[in-house]
Amino acid sequence: MFDEKSHSLKMDKSIEAFTKELSSLRTGRANAAMLDLVKVDVYGQQMPINQIGSITTPEPRMINIQIWDQNNVPLVDAAIKKSELGLNPQIDGQLIRLPIPELNEERRTELKKMIKSMGEKCKVSIRNIRRDANDELKKLLKSKEIGEDEEKTFEKNVQNITDKHIQIVDDKVSAKEKEIMTI
């Protein structure tokens, strides 16, 4: 039998990944999640910064990273510089300070484009899940496990679920754009 809930859950996961990606964007305000995508090559493997030190935001425009092992400080410094965050770390012993600069107009429009493209990727993955669901329905119809009426009903339900998820993505994109354009 056809299970539309599993497809809905897959769409939820796409939105979850999109939200996590959005939170890592630099918006002019300090946010520890900005560093989630930065991986540091330590102990022979790629590790997120939050597993090498503790991350705090003492001020709205500053992130502090207290590195636990002194030997990892230059590695974290290099990883942050290599990332596309555009941040310039300041090292003070085992403490790395990351001042968050103001966003200029050019950077804001650049971020807006990035957000739009991230949103589009998320929508594409949601549509791909819809396509998989519809393919599954066609197979069930072909093998006569469901009738044509049932197939149409399920197809409509899948489309409604898809529309809801795409609306959620659109809302998140416009909210993030608004946040970026706010000075």
Side-chain angles (χ1 to χ4, degrees):
M1 197 59 192
F2 182 70
D3 179 26
E4 57 194 49
K5 277 212 174 28
S6 69
H7 296 286
S8 179
L9 286 172
K10 287 178 188 171
M11 290 181 190
D12 288 341
K13 283 200 172 86
S14 291
I15 288 179
E16 217 173 277
F18 171 63
T19 306
K20 188 173 174 96
E21 206 175 348
L22 267 187
S23 72
S24 71
L25 276 182
R26 183 164 72 84
T27 58
R29 235 183 260 119
N31 178 359
M34 291 165 50
L35 301 171
D36 285 353
L37 300 177
V38 179
K39 300 282 188 253
V40 185
D41 199 10
V42 288
Y43 310 121
Q45 62 185 15
Q46 296 283 315
M47 293 177 79
I49 292 177
N50 62 8
Q51 290 183 7
I52 301 166
S54 52
I55 302 171
T56 56
T57 51
E59 305 166 28
R61 309 189 70 70
M62 177 75 71
I63 296 177
N64 286 347
I65 308 166
Q66 181 66 49
I67 308 295
W68 297 316
D69 183 355
Q70 178 72 45
N71 301 330
N72 294 337
V73 173
L75 300 171
V76 173
D77 178 44
I80 292 171
K81 284 180 180 168
K82 260 196 298 187
S83 73
E84 293 172 6
L85 291 172
L87 298 175
N88 196 13
Q90 300 167 347
I91 299 173
D92 181 11
Q94 283 180 267
L95 181 71
I96 296 179
R97 289 192 179 89
L98 292 173
I100 313 292
E102 282 283 344
L103 291 176
N104 59 14
E105 197 59 37
E106 186 181 311
R107 180 70 177 143
R108 288 175 198 272
T109 49
E110 199 179 295
L111 281 172
K112 217 170 163 182
K113 285 178 191 169
M114 277 175 58
I115 291 167
K116 274 195 168 55
S117 77
M118 289 169 156
E120 277 312 307
K121 282 182 193 165
C122 185
K123 287 182 192 176
V124 166
S125 73
I126 289 171
R127 290 184 193 116
N128 286 340
I129 295 166
R130 176 189 62 191
R131 188 195 59 223
D132 294 344
N134 288 341
D135 290 348
E136 194 180 315
L137 283 170
K138 283 180 179 47
K139 283 180 189 163
L140 289 171
L141 181 67
K142 208 171 196 175
S143 65
K144 300 210 185 308
E145 287 180 45
I146 60 172
E148 279 185 35
D149 294 344
E150 282 179 300
E151 187 219 13
K152 291 286 178 231
T153 306
F154 280 134
E155 224 170 71
K156 238 181 230 155
N157 292 348
V158 167
Q159 185 58 49
N160 288 340
I161 291 169
T162 304
D163 292 343
K164 281 182 195 151
H165 283 82
I166 284 184
Q167 185 58 51
I168 291 170
V169 171
D170 286 339
D171 293 346
K172 285 185 181 289
V173 165
S174 62
K176 192 68 171 183
E177 283 179 345
K178 197 174 180 182
E179 180 186 328
I180 281 179
M181 294 318 274
T182 306
I183 299 173

